[in-house]
Amino acid sequence: MAPFIKGLGEFLPPAIMTMLVVYCYRNVNLTNLSANLPELLAGLITVAVHLWQRKMFLSLALGTLSYILLVNFVF
């Protein structure tokens, strides 16, 4: 495989995840954390699951599920 393609394969997944995080948290107001608690908790759950299992799909799925549950049933 060409070194350029290999480099893209290593560079693009973290770059895409960074863009998604910036997009998801672009409207979070850090001065009023209680209003944005579901987003922050779901983000922390996503990071914790990813550091624990190192499986991107699992961490994204559990983070999304936790956000949906937090918004609909807790807050």
Side-chain angles (χ1 to χ4, degrees):
M1 188 179 300
F4 177 72
I5 301 298
K6 228 178 206 184
L8 283 178
E10 293 175 7
F11 172 75
L12 284 179
I16 291 170
M17 290 303 296
T18 302
M19 289 180 4
L20 284 172
V21 168
V22 169
Y23 178 77
C24 289
Y25 287 113
R26 73 189 186 282
N27 293 329
V28 171
N29 184 2
L30 294 176
T31 59
N32 188 7
L33 291 179
S34 62
N36 300 307
L37 206 51
E39 290 91 348
L40 297 173
L41 286 175
L44 289 174
I45 290 170
T46 304
V47 168
V49 170
H50 186 71
L51 291 175
W52 174 49
Q53 290 290 316
R54 297 283 184 191
K55 295 179 182 174
M56 189 178 298
F57 180 75
L58 178 66
S59 59
L60 289 175
L62 288 179
T64 303
L65 180 66
S66 64
Y67 175 73
I68 291 170
L69 292 174
L70 285 168
V71 168
N72 287 318
F73 297 113
V74 178
F75 295 98

